[in-house]
Amino acid sequence: MKKEDLKALLEDMSIEEKIGQLVQIPGFFLEGESITTGPAAEMGFSPEEIYSAGSTLSVFGRDKIKKIQDEFIKHHPHHIPLLFMGDIINGYKSIFPIPLAQGCSFDPDLVMRLASMAAREASVSGLTVNFSPMVDLVRDPRWGRVMESTGEDSYLNSVLAEAIVKGYQGDNIADHEKMAACVKHFAAYGAPVAGRDYTGVELSERTLRDDYLPSYKAAVDTGCELVMTSFNTIDRIPASANTKLMRDILRGEWEFDGVLISDWAAVSELVNHGIAKDDKEAATLAMRAGVDIDMCTPVYIKNLGNLINEGIISETMLDEAVLRVLNLKNKLGLFENPYHFSEDTKEEEVILCSEHRALCREAAEKSMVLLKNKESILPITDPDKKIAFIGPYVSEKHIFGAWSLLGDEKDVISVEEGVKNLKLKNKITFSKGCGRLDERYELYSFRGLESEEKTDEQRALEQAVKEAGDADIVVLMLGEHPGMSGEAGSRGDIRLLRKQRKLFKEIYNVNKNIVTLVFNGRPLDIKGIVNRSKAVIDAWFPGIEGGNAVARMLFGLCSPEGRLSMSFPYCVGQIPVHYDSFSTGRMYDGDKTNRFQSRYLDIPNEPLFEFGYGLSYTEFEYSDLTLSKNEMSKSVENDTITASVTLKNVGDRDGCETVQLYIRDMAGSVVRPLKKLKGFKKVNLKAGEETKVYFEINTQMLKFTDINMNYSAEPGTFRVFVGGSSSTDEYCEFELL
Ligand code: GLC
C-alpha cells in the first residue's frame, strides 16, 4: 500500500479501531472453540475489542494462523490483518544452540545463517514478527536469562545482533521467508540487582551507555523493525514509562521510527512498580514514553479512549503510534498478502529439512567449548579403549534450552544415539547414573512441575559405578535441567545439584580417567568437577543435533573451536566477574603480606575461566605482535594503525583459532577498563601451518562517554593486545595525538 493510502486508512479509522491496533491479545484467547468467550471474556475483553486487536503472539501453525487471520479480517471494519508474533529464540523446529552458546562460536556468518533458517521455518508457518534477538549484556550467571544472550561483551553482542537481524529480515521483510525482528529487552535487563529476575537495574548513565546500550543500537542501526521494553527499572523508572530511554535515546538520538512493544504485561505492571496509581495512569505513562503496543493486557484498550476524550493523551500521539504499526504491516506486505507466506512453499518441505539439520549440527560443533584436556585424553582415537558413558544426559533428549517452545524431543539426537551413529569398534556402555533433578528441588517451568520418570537411584548408581570400574575412560554427561535457566530461572547456588555431584564423586573413586561434558544454560561453579576431570567440554544446550555433535567431537571427527562468551566465576561469591573490569587504587599484586589491596581472603580475583577462553585439539603460538606505526592522530581523517601478529599451529592436528584484539586506554577523563574487545578473526590452520593476522585500528574504536558525557576519543597512550583469550598479556603501545 502506498504511504498516502496508509494515511488515508488511518484517517478513516475510528478511535476504537486505532486503539485496537495498539493491543496485542494473547494467543490462548484464540485457541478455544469461540474467540469471544473463554479467557478473553474472563479478562474483560468485549468481542468488538478482540476483533479490533492489531496483533497476537504464540499462535503456531500455518493452517491455524490462516483461519484466525481470515476471521479477523472479516470482522474488522477496515479488514486490517493481524501481526502474528512469537519467540523463536534458537530455532523454530530445527532447534540449534542457545544464544549464549552461539556467542561462543564468535562466528557472525554462522549466527546469521541460523537466524535465516529460523525465519524460513517460522515464516513458512505464518509468523511475521520474532521476539529476537535478545541482546542484553550479561555479567551475572545467577540470572537465568543469560542463556538467551550472546554474552558479556558489548562488541561481540553488537556484531552478533547485526548478524541476527540481517538473518531474520534480509533485504525485505515482505519476502515470504523473512520476518520482522524485535530487539530486546530495552534496556539493560541483564543487570538485575542480586541476579534475580525482574528486579531493578542500578547503573550509572555512563555504564549504561558504554556497556549496555551498544548492542541494542547495533540492532536498531541494522534496521530492526521492533524494540521491546524491559521489565526492569532504569534510574528507578520502569523502562515502559521511561521517556528518557524511549523518547530521548531510542527515538531521539538513535532516530528509531519502528514499533515499540512492551514486554508481557509490563504496562500494567507500572502499577506494581508503584509509579502508576491505576491502569489509567499506567496507560498515560506508557503512551507518553512512546510504547506503541501493550502486550497482553487490557490497559490500553480500556483506558486510551477516555484519555483521549479527556485530552490527557492527544489523538496526534495516538495516530503516530498507530501509523507505526500500520507501517510495519505494510512493510510485511500484509495488505496485499495477509498470510505473508507463499502457498507454493509447504511447511513439510522446509521444516527440519536435511539442510537445516546439517546447519544445526555445524552450530553445535562450533559452539561447544573445550575447557580442559589433560594428557590429551581427547579426542578418543584408540578403538580398543573401553568407554563408559554415564550421567543423566547420556540418553536425554531435552537438550534444546528453556525457550525452545516448539522443540520436540522426537527430533533430537541424544548423545547415546550420536555415539551409536558412529558405529565405533570401541566397547561402550551407557547408563544414567542418576536423575537430573534432586527430589528436594521443585522445578516449575512453563510446562508446569518438571518431573522425571522415577529412577531406582541406588540401582542406577551401583550400575554406573560398576561400568565405570570396568572402563578405560568414563564420559560423564552432567548438567542443569533446562528449566533451571531461562525466564524466572535465577539461582543463588550455581553448582550442579547434589545428586550429580554425588555421582561424580562415586565415579571418581573407581576411575580417574574422566571426561566430563556439561549441559547448561549459564556459567556454573564447576571447579570441583574441573579439578578432578582430565577433560571438560561445555556443551551448553546444543539443540536437535547435539548428540551427533558431541559424539563427533569426543572421537575427533570435529575439533572444538568455541571460546567463552561469558566468564565462569570461581564461585557464586565472586559475581559479578567479567573481563572488562577496571583497575582500582589498590590492584592486587600477588603479595599476600600486604593486606591492604583489592582481593578476597578466601578465593582468587580471577574467574575459573575467562571471557574468550577455550582450547582446541591442537596448540597455537602467537609471535611478532607489531603495529604499523606508534602514533595515530585524531585530526587526520581516517587515520589508522594496522596491528599484525604471526599465528602458528604448533600441534599435530588441524584447528581453528579465534584471534582476539583487545585495546586498553591507559588513562582517561574517567577510569577506563583494563581491556575491551575491539575485533576478532577465526583462523583455520593445518598442523604446522602459520600465517599473519591483521587488524585495523581507528579512532572510532577508542571512543567512550567522557567526563562531560560526550562520546569521544581522548589523546593518550593505548595498549594493543592480540591473543587467544581476554587474559592475553602480550601488547604493543601507540599514542593517540
Ligand atoms: C516474556 C519475555 C519476553 C518474551 C515475551 C513474549 O515475558 O520476557 O522475552 O518475548 O514475554 O513471550
Side-chain angles (χ1 to χ4, degrees), residues 57 87 131 145 184-185 228 231 263-264 295 403 487:
L57 84 169
D87 296 277
F131 293 132
R145 302 196 73 167
K184 66 188 186 182
H185 305 81
M228 183 188 293
F231 289 122
D263 202 339
W264 190 298
M295 186 190 288
W403 266 104
E487 184 168 356

Side-chain angles (χ1 to χ4, degrees), residues 24 57-58 86-87 89 130-132 134 136 145 148 182 184-185 189 197-198 228-231 262-265 295-296 403 405 487:
Q24 178 163 94
L57 84 169
S58 302
D87 296 277
I89 306 304
N130 191 357
F131 293 132
S132 172
M134 185 274 219
D136 306 333
R145 302 196 73 167
E148 300 172 54
C182 175
K184 66 188 186 182
H185 305 81
Y189 179 37
D197 212 348
Y198 313 123
M228 183 188 293
T229 68
S230 56
F231 289 122
S262 79
D263 202 339
W264 190 298
M295 186 190 288
C296 298
W403 266 104
L405 303 181
E487 184 168 356

Side-chain angles (χ1 to χ4, degrees), residues 142-205:
R142 293 173 296 179
W143 190 53
R145 302 196 73 167
V146 299
M147 60 145 294
E148 300 172 54
S149 166
T150 49
E152 73 182 49
D153 179 72
S154 49
Y155 175 76
L156 176 63
N157 290 352
S158 300
V159 168
L160 298 182
E162 178 185 349
I164 295 170
V165 170
K166 284 180 176 171
Y168 291 146
Q169 298 192 164
D171 299 327
N172 178 1
I173 57 174
D175 180 320
H176 300 307
E177 301 194 340
K178 294 299 175 188
M179 63 196 311
C182 175
V183 64
K184 66 188 186 182
H185 305 81
F186 194 64
Y189 179 37
V193 166
R196 196 174 74 245
D197 212 348
Y198 313 123
T199 58
V201 165
E202 290 290 341
L203 295 172
S204 70
E205 179 168 346

Side-chain angles (χ1 to χ4, degrees), residues 169-302:
Q169 298 192 164
D171 299 327
N172 178 1
I173 57 174
D175 180 320
H176 300 307
E177 301 194 340
K178 294 299 175 188
M179 63 196 311
C182 175
V183 64
K184 66 188 186 182
H185 305 81
F186 194 64
Y189 179 37
V193 166
R196 196 174 74 245
D197 212 348
Y198 313 123
T199 58
V201 165
E202 290 290 341
L203 295 172
S204 70
E205 179 168 346
R206 184 170 284 108
T207 300
L208 175 71
R209 286 181 174 276
D210 282 359
D211 296 354
Y212 287 84
L213 293 188
S215 48
Y216 305 106
K217 187 173 188 303
V220 167
D221 290 348
T222 308
C224 191
E225 293 290 347
L226 297 93
V227 174
M228 183 188 293
T229 68
S230 56
F231 289 122
N232 57 281
T233 58
I234 286 280
D235 198 17
R236 301 188 184 173
I237 303 164
S240 302
N242 196 312
T243 46
K244 176 167 182 175
L245 205 49
M246 303 302 169
R247 294 275 187 198
D248 301 347
I249 296 177
L250 180 64
R251 294 205 188 278
E253 292 176 32
W254 299 358
E255 297 178 346
F256 175 69
D257 63 355
V259 170
L260 181 60
I261 184 169
S262 79
D263 202 339
W264 190 298
V267 172
S268 70
E269 287 174 7
L270 296 178
V271 177
N272 301 345
H273 276 290
I275 66 155
K277 65 178 181 304
D278 55 23
D279 280 356
K280 186 175 178 183
E281 187 173 14
T284 307
L285 294 173
M287 276 299 282
R288 285 183 180 155
V291 176
D292 297 321
I293 297 179
D294 169 13
M295 186 190 288
C296 298
T297 80
V299 171
Y300 270 16
I301 203 145
K302 296 295 184 189

